[in-house]
Amino acid sequence: MLDRIQQNWFSNVRADILAGITTVLALIPDSLAFAFIAGVNPMISIFSSISILILISFFGGRPGMVSTTAGSMAVLMTALVAQHGVEYLFAATILTGFLQYLMGVLKMGRWMSFVPHSVVTGFINSLAILVFIAQLRYFDGQSWLMYAMVIGTLIIIYTIPKFFKAVPSPLIAVAFMTIAAMLMNGNLQTVGDLATIEPAVPFFHIPMIPYTWETLWIILPTALSLAIVGYSETLLTQTIIDEMTDTKTSKDKEMRGQGIANTVTGFFGGMAGCALIAESAINIKVGGRGRLSTLVAALMLLLLVFILDDILNIIPIAALVGVMIMVCMEIFDWKYFVQIRRKPAAHTFIMLLTIAIVVATHNLAIGVLVGVIVSALLYAYRSATQLQVYKDQHKDELIYRVQGQLFFVSSDALLERIDFADESRKVCLDFEKAHIWDQTARQTINKIVLRLEEKGKKVRLSGQSFH
């Protein structure tokens, strides 16, 4: 027990602390943007991020993975907030947490094994594109100084590590650019220009709504959508972070942790959240590995809001945009496109399809779902085309040796390969090397037997393997 605590919390203290501080730089503009998307006060999003980060640090299954408010979930809240108000949003957040906790209890994390690597790759690349597109809005109406500062931020981020690695380069870049902006006084957009940061301690709050069946039916569709999107984005991010760190963590524990975090956050007047690939990637890239990194990120954000709000307000947006562009460049799978000619055409098609749908709809869940469905259909098609039927005459018995997967797609292929006009009086259908998967396949076999018997043949079935 003590060894596990040591490993999760104190085995990487210095790097986790610096990583947590750096991760906050990516969280600030996103938290504000997500509030605008959902149509709520920016402080709701900020305090929700703090709450989720603190709770997931203790209850989550993937140390070092950053969970906060998310754009993919904020989009789903817009209609509920506009039509019924934030109190209904708080109630939906609580219900979302309950549903996600239930997902963890029911061990639904194993369903992520059905998501093929091509879809995961598409998920990563589409997120990188969406994050990059989201940064473009900050350039509207800005002078050349904005562009210069973004470029300068990127130069510092990629140059500093060649000479100095004790402090994460994004943290140095933002500090340097903040000081430069103050000295130049060049009318650059700052965090304070995006929203007014008004520190206020959130208290335990039971949503002020009518507790009726009608209310449940109002919040249930939103809560269910939030739970599903949160499930998919969180566990896909967890899969990616596991690969980046060469570790394996519990997806069911992570879902239970997400459920606890969202439920508690809802009771403190917050909005639901999930894991974020961009922020998680930057946390891992700059050295964050343990639970301490996400706890430090939460405490640092809390410190910035309550004590260092003057500093928070003067941070130039250009510096934060530079950090986010760096994150996009880091998480985009450039190696895949370099080696794309060596990849199977079907794999590339599914990856590009996933990217196209996510970018077009700005909905990760739809892109992933379509990618999984198309992958399943392609697998079914390949399995059906690989069905082999060999004819073998043994004395007066004609033997059909069936090899491959026999299911609703390939059943007709088997039916077409049976020669009902053959004069052999005995027929054997040998399924020793076949797998019979569904009722359609069984019905097809029964149909073949019946037609052969109607022609006066004696039919024998051998080696049936039903699944």
Side-chain angles (χ1 to χ4, degrees), residues 182-230:
M182 292 172 61
L183 294 176
M184 288 187 295
N185 193 23
N187 195 29
L188 282 163
Q189 189 179 41
T190 65
V191 172
D193 295 327
L194 293 184
T196 302
I197 307 299
E198 298 178 345
V201 179
F203 293 99
F204 182 81
H205 172 78
I206 296 176
M208 299 174 63
I209 58 173
Y211 288 90
T212 63
W213 286 109
E214 182 182 357
T215 299
L216 177 63
W217 291 120
I218 290 173
I219 65 172
L220 182 60
T222 300
L224 189 59
S225 299
L226 290 170
I228 293 172
V229 171

Side-chain angles (χ1 to χ4, degrees), residues 369-442:
L369 179 62
V370 172
V372 170
I373 291 173
V374 173
S375 296
L377 291 175
L378 287 175
Y379 174 78
Y381 174 77
R382 285 196 298 266
S383 297
T385 55
Q386 290 172 1
L387 183 74
Q388 301 293 329
V389 181
Y390 301 97
K391 292 173 66 174
D392 184 17
Q393 188 74 42
H394 183 70
K395 295 182 180 180
D396 63 339
E397 185 178 54
L398 179 61
I399 303 173
Y400 290 95
R401 304 188 190 279
V402 184
Q403 296 183 12
Q405 312 299 321
L406 194 58
F407 58 113
F408 67 94
V409 179
S410 59
S411 295
D412 285 343
L414 173 62
L415 185 63
E416 292 170 359
R417 296 182 192 184
I418 301 297
D419 185 2
F420 293 99
D422 187 272
E423 296 181 357
S424 300
R425 306 311 301 168
K426 295 180 181 179
V427 176
C428 173
L429 300 176
D430 184 359
F431 298 100
E432 187 69 34
K433 295 183 178 180
H435 296 281
I436 303 170
W437 290 100
D438 61 10
Q439 186 61 28
T440 302
R442 296 184 181 92

Side-chain angles (χ1 to χ4, degrees), residues 33-336:
F34 300 154
F36 297 144
I37 291 171
V40 300
N41 187 300
M43 293 310 301
I44 290 177
S45 180
I46 290 176
F47 280 123
S48 297
S49 294
I50 293 170
S51 172
I52 293 169
L53 273 171
I54 291 174
L55 291 163
I56 210 67
S57 298
F58 290 95
F59 298 107
R62 168 67 257 183
M65 187 167 73
V66 177
S67 294
T68 67
T69 54
S72 57
M73 299 184 78
V75 169
L76 301 174
M77 304 172 187
T78 307
L80 182 66
V81 173
Q83 294 175 18
H84 301 282
V86 291
E87 294 294 331
Y88 279 80
L89 174 62
F90 302 152
T93 298
I94 294 168
L95 183 56
T96 298
F98 174 78
L99 293 173
Q100 289 181 322
Y101 188 85
L102 195 59
M103 289 176 175
V105 171
L106 296 176
K107 300 186 182 300
M108 293 173 65
R110 57 192 164 192
W111 289 7
M112 290 309 297
S113 61
F114 289 93
V115 181
H117 188 262
S118 54
V119 176
V120 174
T121 304
F123 171 81
I124 298 170
N125 291 336
S126 58
L127 269 174
I129 294 170
L130 286 180
V131 172
F132 178 79
I133 292 173
Q135 307 313 305
L136 299 181
R137 67 181 183 273
Y138 295 115
F139 290 91
D140 290 344
Q142 299 299 307
S143 67
W144 64 269
L145 198 55
M146 170 76 175
Y147 295 87
M149 184 161 282
V150 170
I151 294 171
T153 301
L154 289 169
I155 291 173
I156 294 173
I157 287 173
Y158 285 106
T159 302
I160 289 292
K162 296 178 181 179
F163 308 99
F164 181 73
K165 295 184 179 180
V167 179
S169 59
L171 187 59
I172 296 174
V174 172
F176 181 85
M177 288 301 171
T178 301
I179 294 171
M182 292 172 61
L183 294 176
M184 288 187 295
N185 193 23
N187 195 29
L188 282 163
Q189 189 179 41
T190 65
V191 172
D193 295 327
L194 293 184
T196 302
I197 307 299
E198 298 178 345
V201 179
F203 293 99
F204 182 81
H205 172 78
I206 296 176
M208 299 174 63
I209 58 173
Y211 288 90
T212 63
W213 286 109
E214 182 182 357
T215 299
L216 177 63
W217 291 120
I218 290 173
I219 65 172
L220 182 60
T222 300
L224 189 59
S225 299
L226 290 170
I228 293 172
V229 171
Y231 166 90
S232 58
E233 187 164 352
T234 293
L235 297 193
L236 282 170
T237 300
Q238 186 172 357
T239 299
I240 295 163
I241 300 302
D242 281 356
E243 291 179 358
M244 290 175 65
T245 57
D246 195 24
T247 55
K248 185 174 179 61
T249 53
S250 172
K251 289 181 169 56
D252 295 320
K253 183 178 181 181
E254 180 62 34
M255 286 314 301
R256 294 195 299 272
Q258 291 285 333
I260 292 170
N262 281 324
T263 298
V264 174
T265 298
F267 276 117
F268 280 85
M271 55 196 282
C274 65
L276 300 179
I277 180 60
E279 283 74 4
S280 297
I282 191 173
N283 189 47
I284 298 299
K285 290 282 185 182
V286 298
R289 291 294 183 275
R291 298 179 183 277
L292 188 61
S293 63
T294 48
L295 181 61
V296 167
L299 297 178
M300 185 62 190
L301 187 54
L302 191 65
L303 182 68
L304 283 171
V305 171
F306 274 96
I307 300 176
L308 305 177
D309 54 312
D310 290 338
I311 294 177
L312 174 61
N313 284 322
I314 63 172
I315 295 176
I317 293 298
L320 301 181
V321 168
V323 171
M324 295 307 294
I325 292 176
M326 179 275 292
V327 172
C328 298
M329 295 171 66
E330 290 295 320
I331 65 175
F332 193 87
D333 193 350
W334 301 100
K335 187 183 295 185
Y336 185 96

